[in-house]
């Protein structure tokens, strides 16, 4: 992280349950003018999804309080994004929109930066973004880009084809931008809080770097997309951490040596997925 910061390269880091790396990252951020992105999530059944049996506003208040109480005291709520749900039920889009609106207002009132949803790769459908409450949330998020974000997961689910079913898995954020553009809503901040191939393995380093280069070029034109966290350095999941660990140094070198020239324009970047199809 220090090497990236010294070179003026923004880093994106997400941790689950472990605040240690974020403590180091926020100390770097406090003394830097580089716009790094830090994300924290507490995991566990009671933390991952809200109580769908409750009215959404009541569920939001209950779920939010639980996460606030579990938020590590050593983390700065003004610097670290808090992600509170993980891969929710896409069949409940209107309920989730109301839940998100209530949570967003609670988060901003308490000085947090909140990342909503954490949708599974390939979700939700375009129509799910267009319910009344979802539109209201997207307008609120667009008006508060430094406080509210949409969290997405983008996986290919295949090690040998990062662009499988593109843009419906990796590249799914383009659908969100298409919807908000059509509704006249500014594009919200997007955090890709899980990104990768399969849940239990990563491809060889050469293939991984080729895939990362392709994805980086796709994300780069969109300043609303703050970064993507490669899955995964934690325990379990077939020991994927031992494979993912090998990507740290080459990805760092790639980040230090790769830049994308983005034309300065008052127009929003095109969301035509064909321009990025490999």
């Amino acid at each position: 992280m220090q090497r990236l910061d010294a070179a003026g390269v923004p880093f994106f880091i997400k941790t689950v349950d472990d605040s240690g790396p974020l403590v180091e990252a926020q100390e770097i951020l406090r003394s830097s003018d580089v716009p790094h992105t830090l994300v924290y999530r507490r995991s566990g059944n009671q933390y991952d999804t809200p109580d769908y049996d409750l009215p959404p506003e009541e569920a939001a208040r209950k779920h939010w309080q639980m996460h606030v109480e579990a938020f590590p005291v050593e983390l700065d709520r003004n610097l670290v994004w808090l992600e509170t749900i993980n891969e929710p039920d896409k069949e409940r889009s209107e309920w989730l929109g109301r839940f998100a609106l209530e949570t967003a207002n609670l988060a901003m009132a308490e000085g947090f930066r909140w990342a909503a949803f954490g949708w599974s790769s390939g979700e939700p459908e375009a129509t799910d973004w267009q319910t009344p409450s979802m539109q209201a949330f997207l307008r609120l998020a667009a008006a508060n880009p430094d406080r509210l974000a949409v969290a997405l997961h983008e996986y290919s689910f295949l090690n040998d084809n990062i662009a499988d079913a593109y843009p419906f898995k990796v590249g799914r954020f383009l659908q969100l931008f298409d919807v908000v553009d059509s509704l006249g809503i500014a594009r919200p901040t997007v955090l890709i809080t899980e990104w990768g191939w399969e849940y239990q393995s990563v491809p060889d380093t050469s293939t991984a770097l080729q895939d990362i280069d392709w994805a980086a070029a796709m994300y780069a034109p969109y300043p609303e997309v703050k970064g993507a966290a490669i899955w995964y350095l934690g325990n379990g999941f077939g020991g994927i951490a031992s494979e993912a660990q090998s990507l740290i140094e080459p990805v760092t070198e790639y980040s230090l040596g790769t830049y994308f020239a983005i034309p300065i324009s008052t127009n929003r970047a095109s969301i035509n997925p064909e321009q990025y199809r490999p």
Side-chain angles (χ1 to χ4, degrees), residues 25-268:
Q26 73 182 11
E27 289 309 307
I28 294 172
L29 185 55
R30 283 192 175 115
S31 59
S32 174
D33 57 3
V34 182
H36 305 303
T37 303
L38 288 56
V39 186
Y40 177 81
R41 182 170 74 83
R42 177 66 182 267
S43 69
N45 290 338
Q46 72 271 36
Y47 294 103
D48 288 351
T49 52
D51 186 347
Y52 295 123
D53 292 330
L54 295 175
E57 292 79 12
E58 181 181 349
R61 291 188 290 271
K62 176 182 176 182
H63 200 248
W64 176 252
Q65 186 59 37
M66 183 169 55
H67 275 278
V68 169
E69 291 174 357
F71 189 73
V73 295
E74 61 271 21
L75 296 183
D76 187 338
R77 66 183 64 182
N78 287 301
L79 300 178
V80 178
W81 289 92
L82 177 57
E83 183 182 27
T84 60
I85 54 178
N86 184 59
E87 301 188 348
D89 183 356
K90 70 171 185 176
E91 301 300 325
R92 302 174 184 266
S93 58
E94 176 62 13
W95 191 99
L96 285 166
R98 290 170 58 188
F99 173 92
L101 269 174
E102 181 70 12
T103 305
N105 284 312
L106 291 168
M108 290 195 295
E110 297 187 41
F112 278 88
R113 311 177 93 184
W114 182 57
F117 306 121
W119 293 110
S120 179
S121 187
E123 297 181 1
E125 302 302 325
T127 53
D128 296 327
W129 290 118
Q130 298 178 62
T131 69
S133 64
M134 276 291 187
Q135 290 190 44
F137 169 75
L138 290 172
R139 292 184 188 280
L140 184 62
N144 296 276
D146 295 327
R147 287 290 167 184
L148 300 175
V150 172
L152 302 175
H153 298 171
E154 295 202 350
Y155 292 94
S156 63
F157 301 130
L158 295 171
N159 278 345
D160 61 358
N161 186 4
I162 191 64
D164 181 65
Y166 169 81
F168 298 106
K169 291 187 289 184
V170 176
R172 190 76 171 189
F173 77 99
L174 292 168
Q175 181 194 78
L176 168 60
F177 286 177
D178 186 35
V179 170
V180 295
D181 286 359
S182 70
L183 294 172
I185 301 172
R187 295 172 182 175
T189 296
V190 168
L191 311 179
I192 300 176
T193 55
E194 293 182 20
W195 185 95
W197 300 268
E198 300 180 10
Y199 274 89
Q200 297 188 342
S201 63
V202 302
D204 63 86
T205 300
S206 176
T207 300
L209 286 177
Q210 291 176 34
D211 293 347
I212 289 167
D213 183 57
W214 169 73
M218 174 180 61
Y219 297 133
Y222 305 96
E224 300 86 0
V225 180
K226 301 305 180 183
I230 297 174
W231 177 267
Y232 159 77
L233 292 173
N235 296 323
F237 296 94
I240 187 177
S242 62
E243 297 182 15
Q245 182 84 20
S246 67
L247 296 179
I248 293 176
E249 185 61 26
V251 169
T252 299
E253 294 301 325
Y254 170 84
S255 299
L256 289 169
T258 306
Y259 295 83
F260 297 93
I262 307 301
I264 297 175
S265 173
T266 57
N267 297 321
R268 292 185 288 191

Side-chain angles (χ1 to χ4, degrees), residues 1-12 34 36 251-252 255-256:
M1 290 187 289
Q2 292 176 340
R3 291 178 64 199
L4 293 170
D5 180 69
V9 178
F11 58 72
F12 185 103
V34 182
H36 305 303
V251 169
T252 299
S255 299
L256 289 169

